[in-house]
Amino acid sequence: MGKTLVEKIWDAHLVKRSEGFPDILYIDTHLIHEVTTPQAFDGLRRRGLPVFRPEQTVATADHNVPTLNQHLPIREELSRLQVDTLTRNCNEFGIELYGLGHPNQGIVHVIGPELGITLPGKTIVCGDSHTSTHGAFGCIAFGIGTSEVEQVLATQCVLQQSPKTMKIEVNGQLAQGVSAKDLILYIISKLSAAGGTGFFIEYAGSAIRSLSMEGRMTVCNMSIEMGARGGLIAPDTTTFNYIEGREFAPKGENWQQSIKYWQTLYSDEDAQFDSVITFDAADIGPMITYGTNPGMGMAINETIPTTYSQPSTEQLSYQKALTYMGLEDGTAMVGKEIDYVFIGSCTNSRIEDLREVAEFVKGRRKADNVTVWIVPGSKHVEQQAIAEGLDKVFEQAGFQLREPGCSACLGMNEDKIPAGKYCVSTSNRNFEGRQGQNARTLLVSPLTAAAAAITGKITDIRELLQVGS
Amino acid sequence: MRKFEHLISTVIPLDIENIDTDQIIPARFLKATSREGFGKNLFCDWRYDSNGQPKTDFALNKPEYKNARILVAGKNFGCGSSREHAAWALQDYGFDVVISSFFADIFKSNALNNGLLPVQVSEEFLKHIFEENRKNSDLELEIDLVNGTVKVLSTLKQEAFHINAYKKTCLINGYDDIDFILGNKSLIESYEAEQAIKVDKIVADNKGVFPEDSRTNNR
């Protein structure tokens, strides 16, 4: 019997499998950041252990960093302390750090791919649940906790049960105004916030194949929002073209050898998945969430599902979510006034996202009632945006282009949405308080976010695109 | 790591589904560089009002639940962020066990890696606990890790729960994974030495056709 892609990569990284024990899985690349590592480094010190493979570990500061005036010392004391602790730990243990001021700094899941560190066939972990992003390149990538970060620092391995596999196939073509973000929000709304738990998901089908690498990263990024450990897409020419020439990508003869290996990375035709689900791209419209988990999403032109249509055991939680959001079941979302637009996060802060937004807003201006933040995913994305003149487009539109970091996706720095305010956001989580205490998050694609910024209301992007064309 | 074998305790009920790690410990409290002290901010935004005063209707603030060491919560507990701070906060507050009908993966690993026991029960059993607790807030549960059972002491209703045998041994003895992996260090080193050869062999042995090539040929 053939193997799934997940099984191929997993088996190639098995250090030890024994009955009654989890697998010892070898990790090729360990990405680290300031929030989930200080306690892991302390653990190493307590045990008197070095970092086993420092050259396979890459660090950046992203969660806590301000997105204005990054050249100045971090004002917030605890944030500064955490970022400084990362610097000290990297120096002590010999780890490459792309900290503030470094041209490679940025959100950990943006810099890995753009630097050519993320490659097909690899195993990649990071103390961050959105590590699933890297799966877009056909690798096994998943988030881990701090105890596991310590494990990987100490041994370059993690203990893991081999996962179940799910295939999600999306066939057909996405309509105009519908993007990778809508596709994944649609899938999550169908499967629920727990529908992928215990699985690694392989995304396949013609709609997935026709996505750019940026789009594929957006899809894989949100696998965790269904509870899946990871998501991945078999590599193809789109993947190889994206990687070629990047800073740490294989070069010359190594490149040729790598391609040969990467071309073995697909699920065999007779491979067995534990679950297979199929969707039609034509059924997907621009999406928006109305609740407090990413599974509570719908097509933007629909009305919020009624409480009584929910399973009886879930009605209490459902109503609690709508109360928090200040929304009523059975009502429409389109036309509702909003306060903030956040375009950024490891889900949608790449150059393609910024280009798409800029193309739409060129010659338009934001509504007066809205504050718009655009936070690029990395220093490289920021520089590229400036080189292409996108900064001017944003400025004329009244959008504020800030400096790279996780920013208002989780509000660990100063970028918080005030209580009660609505934020149309390209990030990945609409949990209570995620973007600030009592802030209300509406998850959407970059295009839908841009449309809301211009009109000041929740808007079906398709209406504006028709007017434009 | 903290050891765990057996516990009899009252419970704190949180009959809410999809409790994510941002609720368990909001991101603004993740700036600490040690593992201690997160308990005071556990469920902070549900527990305190905007003036920092305890909300009297929230279960953690009810005097009858003061000494409970078991949290009982709705399905998909611990979804969202991978922050281990969620497990640390629950433990620091005084919980030894969390019961739910379904746990998010990363939360479950984090809990197990800290000696906080995640007990997965059926929907019916979870409902039974909530119902009995509503009748009597002194309701006690008995958790027996060695035999893998959870029992409602007032009704004697009991259910078995599953914990991976390796993890069970770790919990009962207070072992952690690093010792186990380091015990296999020579295997890790030989894996590294052979990795390139292994990849060459995969390429040589591959009998299939790269799907993109077959798609192109079929056109």
Side-chain angles (χ1 to χ4, degrees), chain A residues 357-366 390 392-399 454:
Chain A
V357 169
E359 192 184 312
F360 172 75
V361 304
K362 197 167 190 174
R364 291 178 157 113
R365 183 145 181 96
K366 76 168 185 73
L390 307 187
K392 300 281 182 307
V393 176
F394 295 141
E395 199 184 323
Q396 280 158 14
F399 292 17
I454 300 301

Side-chain angles (χ1 to χ4, degrees), chain A residues 26 47 53 147 161 237, chain B residues 31 84 164 176 191-192 212:
Chain A
Y26 191 79
R47 294 170 198 264
R53 295 291 177 250
S147 294
Q161 300 288 347
T237 306
Chain B
K31 299 182 187 192
E84 194 161 312
N164 168 284
D176 84 8
Y191 170 86
E192 288 177 325
E212 205 171 29

Side-chain angles (χ1 to χ4, degrees), chain A residues 214-394:
Chain A
E214 285 86 350
R216 294 178 190 188
M217 284 188 253
T218 300
V219 169
C220 290
N221 171 275
M222 291 191 76
S223 304
I224 181 70
E225 309 313 335
M226 297 177 265
R229 281 318 287 273
L232 77 173
I233 295 169
D236 58 14
T237 306
T238 306
T239 321
F240 307 151
N241 288 344
Y242 178 96
I243 297 168
E244 193 170 12
R246 289 184 185 267
E247 189 172 344
F248 296 103
K251 307 272 171 2
E253 197 180 323
N254 272 339
W255 173 254
Q256 297 305 331
Q257 283 305 110
S258 299
I259 293 272
K260 275 188 196 153
Y261 174 49
W262 297 345
Q263 289 186 331
T264 71
L265 299 173
Y266 52 85
S267 288
D268 295 327
E269 271 179 39
D270 55 346
Q272 293 286 316
F273 290 87
D274 297 300
S275 173
V276 177
I277 300 168
T278 306
F279 295 106
D280 186 345
D283 295 338
I284 306 172
M287 296 286 293
I288 191 164
T289 61
Y290 52 83
T292 54
N293 73 60
M296 299 175 79
M298 65 179 194
I300 200 161
N301 55 350
E302 291 176 349
T303 54
I304 298 170
T306 55
T307 303
Y308 66 77
S309 67
Q310 308 301 313
S312 62
T313 54
E314 292 172 22
Q315 290 184 1
L316 203 69
S317 300
Y318 188 81
Q319 200 47 56
K320 182 178 182 292
L322 290 189
T323 304
Y324 178 87
M325 291 300 294
L327 296 172
E328 264 179 63
D329 64 346
T331 63
M333 299 276 283
V334 168
K336 187 168 176 57
E337 280 206 9
I338 54 120
D339 309 290
Y340 283 79
V341 170
F342 171 62
I343 296 171
S345 87
C346 56
T347 313
N348 282 120
S349 63
R350 298 181 177 83
I351 189 66
E352 185 183 78
D353 300 314
L354 270 53
R355 282 182 192 142
E356 194 179 30
V357 169
E359 192 184 312
F360 172 75
V361 304
K362 197 167 190 174
R364 291 178 157 113
R365 183 145 181 96
K366 76 168 185 73
D368 291 339
N369 59 313
V370 183
T371 302
V372 187
W373 293 335
I374 299 198
V375 181
S378 70
K379 225 51 202 169
H380 285 291
V381 172
E382 181 194 31
Q383 292 309 309
Q384 180 77 26
I386 292 169
E388 294 179 16
L390 307 187
D391 56 332
K392 300 281 182 307
V393 176
F394 295 141

Side-chain angles (χ1 to χ4, degrees), chain B residues 67 101 130 177 199:
Chain B
N67 298 315
S101 56
F130 282 132
D177 292 345
V199 165

Side-chain angles (χ1 to χ4, degrees), chain A residues 12 16 26 28 39 47 53 76 79 82 145-147 151 161 198 237 266 314 317 412 429 432 434, chain B residues 17 22-23 28 30-31 34 45-46 75 80-81 84 105 110 164 176-177 184 191-192 195 208 212:
Chain A
K16 187 181 183 181
Y26 191 79
D28 295 316
Q39 297 87 349
R47 294 170 198 264
R53 295 291 177 250
E76 223 271 318
S79 296
Q82 210 171 42
T146 298
S147 294
Q151 263 175 51
Q161 300 288 347
T237 306
Y266 52 85
E314 292 172 22
S317 300
M412 271 196 84
R429 289 187 174 136
E432 285 183 32
R434 173 80 179 179
Chain B
E17 297 180 341
D22 273 85
Q23 306 319 312
R28 62 185 185 279
L30 306 187
K31 299 182 187 192
S34 77
D45 293 342
W46 289 352
K75 78 170 177 210
S81 152
E84 194 161 312
D105 270 345
N110 288 341
N164 168 284
D176 84 8
D177 292 345
N184 291 282
Y191 170 86
E192 288 177 325
Q195 199 176 19
E212 205 171 29

